[in-house]
Amino acid sequence: MGEEDAIKRTRGTPATVDSLAADLSSLGIAPGMVLLVHSSLSSLGWVSGGPVAVILALEQVLGPKGTLVMPTFTGDLSDPARWKEPPVPQDWWGKIRESMPAFDPEFTPTREVGVVPECFRNQKGVLRSSHPQDSFSARGPKAEAITEAHDLDFGFGEKSPLARLYENDARILMLGTDFMCNSSLHLCEYRASFPGKRVIRCGSPVFKGGKREWVEYDDLEVSNADFSSIGEAFIKETGVARRGRIGLAEAVLIPQRALVDFGVKWIEKNRR
């Protein structure tokens, strides 16, 4: 959705830092929370200040003791042999592996997570984890503990920011997004036992000793195909999700630990 469409959808006055902050507070976001946000700026309607206003509103409500976290994924820094949307010719694979710039937390842009996380990762004081595909960015008192020591192997697993968010009893805010992009459900895949669980070999360009190097590592073959079903069942069966509107966007606030525990059981029961 473009800016013209957002203007047409917005009736009355546009969203502002203060109006967004009021909506966030009404939904249940409170000072001191650790909050993982999956966002769609266009869903909010026209916002005075765009992504900066959204970030300022979130941090205004969280306060100085709160920690804001966002996904800053870079799925394009991966082995071209696994690319499907779209694929590239096989005779390109070697050249891509040789030439793709290495992941740099300060320089490498996000991919397919929206403009709010891309804006957030560039702001002063934001820390970004080191995984070349599955990084998260955070600012606040717990940012370092959440982003440090992100292992190359199993990027959404036990040595990832998702597991640290679980330990810190984080909340998830889905701001105009759905469960298909709820990354915490990937942690469920790592923790659950199911027949089709499979480890695969991945590759990415990284810096080692100041030099670019293509490295290979193990990961789980993940899938979000059933995430919507998990989310619907979670909301229906637990009653712990809070729903409301932020600007024009439908928003859901969820305890991450409860979602992950539920998701593990759901996957073990239903996934093949």
Side-chain angles (χ1 to χ4, degrees):
M1 181 183 298
E3 187 169 10
E4 184 176 355
D5 290 327
I7 292 170
K8 289 178 180 178
R9 288 177 60 234
T10 305
R11 298 180 179 180
T13 58
T16 66
V17 173
D18 288 342
S19 71
L20 293 173
D23 290 346
L24 293 164
S25 294
S26 295
L27 187 63
I29 297 169
M33 276 185 176
V34 177
L35 185 68
L36 171 61
V37 179
H38 294 280
S39 59
S40 165
L41 180 64
S42 63
S43 70
L44 295 166
W46 198 84
V47 179
S48 178
V52 174
V54 176
I55 295 164
L56 290 174
L58 286 162
E59 294 193 324
Q60 178 177 309
V61 177
L62 291 172
K65 294 184 179 179
T67 300
L68 180 59
V69 186
M70 296 190 192
T72 46
F73 304 152
T74 47
D76 51 326
L77 269 64
S78 57
D79 193 334
R82 301 189 61 82
W83 293 355
K84 296 178 181 180
E85 296 179 0
V88 294
Q90 185 171 349
D91 58 3
W92 291 12
W93 294 356
K95 178 60 68 176
I96 290 171
R97 293 185 189 115
E98 292 172 5
S99 63
M100 183 184 292
F103 175 74
D104 183 330
E106 294 183 1
F107 186 47
T108 304
T110 58
R111 181 179 172 87
E112 297 183 343
V113 293
V115 296
V116 177
E118 175 62 16
C119 179
F120 180 64
R121 74 159 185 95
N122 281 293
Q123 294 193 346
K124 184 178 181 180
V126 172
L127 304 179
R128 188 179 188 183
S129 68
S130 61
H131 198 281
Q133 291 191 59
D134 304 332
S135 70
F136 289 80
S137 291
R139 179 162 57 190
K142 296 185 178 180
E144 184 173 0
I146 289 167
T147 58
E148 68 180 353
H150 190 169
D151 268 17
L152 192 59
D153 289 323
F154 306 107
F156 289 135
E158 298 303 331
K159 295 184 179 180
S160 75
L162 289 175
R164 306 290 78 76
L165 288 164
Y166 183 94
E167 292 170 355
N168 282 280
D169 197 22
R171 299 295 187 272
I172 303 166
L173 173 62
M174 295 191 299
L175 186 55
T177 58
D178 57 29
F179 278 93
M180 291 291 284
C181 68
N182 193 317
S183 59
S184 293
L185 291 174
H186 288 304
L187 181 59
C188 303
E189 296 181 281
Y190 284 80
R191 294 185 173 181
S193 297
F194 55 96
K197 193 170 186 176
R198 188 167 77 95
V199 173
I200 57 176
R201 197 69 175 160
C202 299
S204 295
V206 299
F207 285 114
K208 279 193 170 184
K211 294 183 178 180
R212 180 205 176 275
E213 184 176 333
W214 182 267
V215 297
E216 293 190 346
Y217 50 94
D218 288 330
D219 210 339
L220 193 69
E221 186 174 48
V222 297
S223 171
N224 67 352
D226 52 13
F227 283 10
S228 292
S229 297
I230 298 172
E232 289 171 8
F234 174 79
I235 289 176
K236 181 179 179 180
E237 296 177 27
T238 68
V240 299
R242 300 190 62 166
R243 309 181 85 160
R245 283 195 174 271
I246 310 297
L248 299 183
E250 293 185 5
V252 184
L253 182 66
I254 297 170
Q256 193 233 28
R257 188 177 294 171
L259 177 65
V260 171
D261 292 346
F262 180 92
V264 170
K265 295 177 182 177
W266 192 99
I267 288 173
E268 290 185 337
K269 181 181 179 180
N270 296 283
R271 190 181 284 194
R272 297 293 178 261

